[in-house]
Amino acid sequence: MPTDHDPGSAAGDAAAGIERLLAGFVTYHPDRIDLSLDRMVRLLSDLGDPHTALPPVIHVAGTNGKGSTIAMIAAALEVSGKTLSVYTSPHLVRFAERYHIAGATLSDEALLALFEEVDRINAGKPITQFEITTAAAFLAMARAPADIAILEVGLGGRFDATNVVARPAATVITPVAFDHQAFLGNTLAAIAGEKAAIQKPSVPSIVAPQAPEAMAVIADAAHAAGAPLWRAGVEWTLEPGRDGGGTYRRGDTVWPLPPPGLLGRHQLDNAATAAACLDVCGFAGVTRDAIVQGIRNVTWPGRTEWIQRGALAEALPQGWELWLDAAHNPAGAAALAETFRAPGVRDGRPLHLVFAVLADKDIGGFLAPFHGLAASATAVPLSGDPRVCPPADLAARARAAGLDAHTAGSIHDALVAIARAAGPARVLVAGSHLLIGAAIAENRATTRHWLDQVGGGHYCAH
């Protein structure tokens, strides 16, 4: 029987068609990233302005934590019986993962038809790949009734293709850190200014914990735009508890928050930000109990995910653990390293890092938090992006960061080599969404679990 991945199946043909169109989209504009809204506004006009026909929108920007915060918001809303449309990026295995429309992820066949329609209407006019694929998301969302839509900013905020919704229900700004400096600026204040530009007049702005310079810029931009501010540590607070949960407070509202379904102290901040968003929005039928259940049961593949079955997991001896995380910048790596240093996780087993980082990232900054934590660091190759950094160069950077560095021809080869060391141990695969997608695909059994999950459109374990 053919499967979704069989080249001869209808789904396989659709997947190939999607890749062909995505390659064609790249040719419509010479630059992969060109921050402007003019092309997007033109294409949306040609499509009939679908972005003006969306349900209430939650618009989320930030450097780290966007996906996890969105997953928690979505989980709570789904527990509340809401039908959601959610647009996120990047994907891990299938491009269609980005399109959660009216409660379910688009099939490859549906996405191919959508791309073909938008491509035909665009008629070869200048447009970036992210812009045309985002326009497709708006078109799909406008056609499928849903209660709430959630949009994740792709890059920055001010000129991001998602920043065309004039009056969202709320904006959310997750922690701002250094990333994409070539496009957003070389200071935290400059980066924060780009992300703060999603704030809109009279639209509540929910702001996660920030560095002081970032928070100041965000607050100034909110005041200039006339956006009511709901800042962590000011208008709302989080008091961490001893059990991994905490207490959320806003005025007379006091909610106990459970330990999130996603591992790591930083995920409690994301959970509180999600709770603040839903508290401030006050959507009918969304209760405190639903928010608590969504936070407790949320799942989000590739975010501190423990892989317990599949081809890669089976490459490690019994008693070992395999973990995946898409962290790829210094702040994300620092949060990840803190997670594995935590008393609840650290149990004497050494941690081995398997990594690949794109060449335009701060590779040294990514590796630095693992100094003194990782017993070894093995660089592996990546494909599918022109910014790929060779494993030998990555290993040299790891040695410069004080790590015992090696190279391997694949993730599987890295695991086999590490397993020859005295165990039991933990292996962490991290550094790029591309790497985590490759790991999930290679693991096979985990890939099927992930595809089943997104196919059903669930952000939490019901």
Side-chain angles (χ1 to χ4, degrees):
M1 172 181 282
T3 70
D4 289 350
H5 303 289
D6 289 339
S9 70
D13 291 344
I18 289 170
E19 291 303 316
R20 183 181 67 254
L21 280 173
L22 288 171
F25 294 162
V26 172
T27 67
Y28 294 158
H29 195 278
D31 296 322
R32 184 175 63 91
I33 298 173
D34 183 6
L35 298 181
S36 166
L37 288 177
D38 294 343
R39 295 176 303 275
M40 188 68 181
V41 170
R42 187 270 308 162
L43 177 55
L44 289 172
S45 177
D46 292 344
L47 292 170
D49 290 322
H51 62 297
T52 65
L54 302 183
V57 169
I58 299 172
H59 195 195
V60 183
T63 306
N64 293 310
K66 296 191 299 294
S68 297
T69 301
I70 287 171
M72 293 184 198
I73 293 171
L77 290 172
E78 286 197 335
V79 169
S80 302
K82 303 296 184 183
T83 300
L84 305 181
S85 288
V86 186
Y87 177 61
T88 59
S89 62
H91 61 284
L92 293 178
V93 179
R94 295 169 51 226
F95 202 89
E97 294 166 22
R98 302 179 181 215
Y99 300 84
H100 181 89
I101 306 299
T105 300
L106 287 184
S107 67
D108 284 345
E109 293 90 342
L111 184 59
L112 176 60
L114 182 67
F115 279 179
E116 288 174 338
E117 179 182 359
V118 176
D119 188 36
R120 184 173 61 255
I121 293 172
N122 183 64
K125 296 173 186 173
I127 196 84
T128 70
Q129 184 190 80
F130 184 73
E131 288 166 348
I132 195 169
T133 54
T134 300
F138 286 130
L139 188 60
M141 288 181 172
R143 289 173 171 172
D147 298 312
I148 296 165
I150 306 176
L151 302 177
E152 179 182 0
V153 166
L155 177 66
R158 186 186 311 276
F159 296 114
D160 187 78
T162 62
N163 197 26
V164 292
V165 178
R167 187 70 185 270
T171 62
V172 178
I173 302 177
T174 66
V176 175
F178 286 100
D179 204 358
H180 301 293
Q181 290 96 311
F183 301 100
L184 304 180
N186 292 316
T187 67
L188 205 58
I191 296 169
E194 293 303 309
K195 298 179 186 297
I198 71 166
Q199 298 174 121
K200 302 292 190 300
S202 302
V203 174
S205 172
I206 294 87
V207 186
Q210 305 286 348
E213 58 266 45
M215 187 68 87
V217 170
I218 293 168
D220 287 347
H223 293 317
L229 269 173
W230 301 97
R231 294 163 289 183
V234 184
E235 288 80 18
W236 63 269
T237 61
L238 167 67
E239 299 170 10
R242 294 182 178 180
D243 65 347
T247 302
Y248 162 81
R249 298 178 185 272
R250 182 180 73 92
D252 294 332
T253 300
V254 181
W255 291 347
L257 300 182
L262 304 176
L263 186 65
R265 168 61 184 82
H266 59 293
Q267 295 294 1
L268 183 60
D269 288 328
N270 293 334
T273 303
C277 174
L278 294 172
D279 178 27
V280 170
C281 286
F283 296 121
V286 180
T287 65
R288 181 192 72 175
D289 289 345
I291 294 169
V292 167
Q293 183 179 341
I295 289 170
R296 179 186 293 116
N297 296 333
V298 66
T299 60
W300 192 231
R303 278 70 174 181
T304 324
E305 183 182 11
W306 181 14
I307 304 301
Q308 301 183 59
R309 59 191 179 92
L312 291 180
E314 292 165 6
L316 294 174
Q318 187 173 3
W320 287 56
E321 292 178 1
L322 174 63
W323 294 79
L324 307 182
D325 195 282
H328 56 275
N329 56 41
L336 185 56
E338 180 184 357
T339 297
F340 282 93
R341 283 192 170 97
V345 177
R346 188 180 64 239
D347 61 1
R349 281 182 286 183
L351 179 74
H352 296 270
L353 178 67
V354 175
F355 75 105
V357 185
L358 295 177
D360 63 349
K361 300 296 182 181
D362 182 354
I363 298 171
F366 170 83
L367 292 166
F370 295 103
H371 178 65
L373 173 65
S376 71
T378 304
V380 295
L382 272 179
S383 61
D385 194 290
R387 300 167 292 164
V388 165
C389 187
D393 294 348
L394 291 172
R397 299 294 294 273
R399 293 186 191 100
L403 297 169
D404 177 20
H406 311 271
T407 63
S410 69
I411 300 170
H412 184 273
D413 289 350
L415 298 182
V416 170
I418 293 168
R420 296 193 186 105
R426 289 188 171 94
V427 179
L428 170 64
V429 181
S432 168
H433 284 88
L434 281 173
L435 179 67
I436 300 309
I440 290 173
E442 188 173 349
N443 199 49
R444 292 195 301 260
T446 303
T447 302
R448 173 54 49 197
H449 170 71
W450 163 228
L451 292 176
D452 287 344
Q453 176 179 319
V454 298
H458 297 302
Y459 284 86
C460 58
H462 293 296

